[in-house]
Amino acid sequence: MKLSEIFKTGKPTLSFEFFPARNEKAAETFNQTIEDLVELKPDFVSVTFGAGGSTKEGSYELVKKLKKEKELEVVAYLAAFALKKDEINAVLNSYQDLGIENILALRGDPPKDADVTQVSAESFKYASELAAFIHQNYSFCLGVAGYPEGHIEAPSLKKDIEYLKHKVDQGVDFIIAQFFYDNVCFFDFRERCQKSGINIPVLPGIMPVYSVKMMEMLAGSCGAKIPEKLRKGISELPEGDTKALVDFGIEYATGQCEELLKEGARGLHFYTMDKSESTVGIVKGLRNRGFLTI
Ligand SMILES: Cc1cc2nc3c(=O)[nH]c(=O)nc-3n(C[C@H](O)[C@H](O)[C@H](O)COP(=O)(O)OP(=O)(O)OC[C@H]3O[C@@H](n4cnc5c(N)ncnc54)[C@H](O)[C@@H]3O)c2cc1C
């Protein structure tokens, strides 16, 4: 089913993002992650795509497994960086043949060692070009990424929203937001979207705290602020106590989610990092308190 149909029910959606397992060991634990999270009955799941096609086969196999074996609604991501149009068509056709109805159109980030001068002039420079191409040639329900705190390369928040509006105008149906730890950033972003005439659903991205190192690294790479309340909470935990940290991360994100739902968020999109414990803890906590009815 297309996400645009699911949104019509008016109920906040629950969704989980996965990436293809990087090696055999990761694949073993990942199967259990999928089992744990499928039990929560998400409205949809999503699968990332390595820029430059680096995970093309892995992404395809995971999309296939989730769609065909698990019978889940899947949003397949496509990052256009360095791909030629025939390569993009091949990926889209393969997803179409699987019965996939939803695509997230992304630019992707050049790998650190990439020589961008070698990228074909034929490949798309911005996600808006990919979105337009997909809209003109396919009938997928189309999503794009949005950045509550601004994309890290954007000259200003104002410009970033202007570019987002242009991207949405290419025939886009929904936005999945980058994660944030301060809900004010999301509420401000949603308001800026509305003011600029973006009226499609914007799903907030939730990134539970998995480890301090990962939190610092991920927040640093996308420019997400770490609020004082989160830092202070972590600093008060017994040093090296991983369980206490994960539990605190669950509590913090559950509070975030509660407020987001109270303020009318159209759904919650979890960056699972292919782990289940935190997401299961948050979703069960929300359901116990009457949020997110199935
Ligand atoms: C929900 C989500 C999922 C993601 N999944 C993946 C994934 O699977 N694989 C992956 O490789 N990456 C993924 N990313 C990361 C994403 O690829 C990077 O953030 C990338 O840097 C930007 O991608 P974009 O699609 O937002 O690009 P764009 O929308 O093209 O924006 C990129 C930058 O260009 C600017 N810009 C846009 N249009 C113009 C214009 N016309 N003129 C000048 N500047 C412009 C924007 O302000 C922004 O700074 C994901 C991000 C999110 C939020």
Side-chain angles (χ1 to χ4, degrees):
M1 190 190 278
K2 291 187 172 181
L3 256 59
S4 49
E5 291 301 312
I6 299 176
F7 290 132
K8 281 184 190 161
T9 66
K11 247 176 54 179
T13 55
L14 174 66
S15 52
F16 306 137
E17 181 184 287
F18 300 122
F19 51 79
R22 295 205 170 103
N23 51 48
E24 267 177 41
K25 190 164 172 282
E28 278 167 32
T29 53
F30 185 37
N31 284 332
Q32 188 56 50
T33 295
I34 294 175
E35 294 305 317
D36 296 344
L37 292 176
V38 164
E39 270 185 36
L40 298 176
K41 300 198 183 327
D43 293 285
F44 70 92
V45 293
S46 65
V47 174
T48 64
F49 185 95
S54 57
T55 67
K56 197 169 66 180
E57 284 79 22
S59 295
Y60 175 82
E61 289 305 324
L62 181 54
V63 167
K64 187 171 159 193
K65 179 186 173 99
L66 295 169
K67 177 79 183 168
K68 297 289 184 194
E69 266 180 47
K70 304 295 171 190
E71 298 181 340
L72 293 164
E73 218 46 72
V74 182
V75 175
Y77 295 0
L78 176 56
F81 171 76
L83 295 184
K84 296 191 183 126
K85 286 208 186 77
D86 59 343
E87 294 173 301
I88 289 173
N89 276 322
V91 174
L92 291 168
N93 290 338
S94 71
Y95 286 151
Q96 190 169 254
D97 291 347
L98 279 180
I100 297 302
E101 294 182 78
N102 306 285
I103 297 284
L104 192 80
L106 296 148
R107 183 195 71 177
D109 285 318
K112 283 191 181 65
D113 51 359
D115 179 357
V116 284
T117 60
Q118 295 304 308
V119 173
S120 159
E122 200 201 312
S123 51
F124 297 125
K125 196 165 175 206
Y126 298 113
S128 54
E129 296 165 23
L130 175 65
F133 177 79
I134 298 175
H135 183 65
Q136 282 154 21
N137 296 289
Y138 294 86
S139 61
F140 291 112
C141 178
L142 201 51
V144 290
Y147 300 85
E149 295 174 73
H151 183 261
I152 200 143
E153 295 163 25
S156 65
L157 288 182
K158 189 169 172 286
K159 270 280 166 213
D160 206 35
I161 284 285
E162 278 174 32
Y163 295 138
L164 180 60
K165 169 78 170 102
H166 172 69
K167 186 161 68 169
V168 166
D169 284 347
Q170 306 312 307
V172 169
D173 303 288
F174 64 95
I175 296 172
I176 301 185
Q178 183 58 281
F179 75 88
F180 50 88
Y181 290 116
D182 183 352
N183 284 354
V184 171
C185 300
F186 180 77
F187 297 138
D188 176 60
F189 173 63
R190 200 173 54 173
E191 199 180 317
R192 283 184 286 115
C193 284
Q194 280 160 3
K195 281 190 179 148
S196 71
I198 298 172
N199 297 312
I200 55 175
V202 183
L203 301 179
I206 308 298
M207 179 74 82
V209 178
Y210 300 104
S211 77
V212 175
K213 195 173 159 200
M214 196 193 273
M215 175 185 78
E216 299 278 5
M217 190 269 286
L218 294 170
S221 66
C222 72
K225 282 192 278 296
I226 301 175
E228 189 44 40
K229 186 179 154 200
L230 178 54
R231 281 199 191 280
K232 187 163 177 294
I234 291 174
S235 71
E236 287 166 358
L237 299 171
E239 218 178 311
D241 188 337
T242 315
K243 176 155 183 352
L245 178 71
V246 169
D247 287 347
F248 175 74
I250 292 174
E251 190 188 312
Y252 187 89
T254 306
Q256 262 194 292
C257 293
E258 279 192 21
E259 189 185 28
L260 287 162
L261 292 170
K262 278 185 199 155
E263 294 298 324
R266 298 294 300 269
L268 297 173
H269 184 71
F270 286 85
Y271 294 103
T272 70
M273 305 305 283
D274 290 357
K275 298 171 191 287
S276 60
E277 185 186 355
S278 301
T279 303
V280 168
I282 298 161
V283 173
K284 285 195 170 162
L286 289 169
R287 284 190 172 149
N288 287 340
R289 284 177 237 175
F291 291 94
L292 279 181
T293 48
I294 302 172

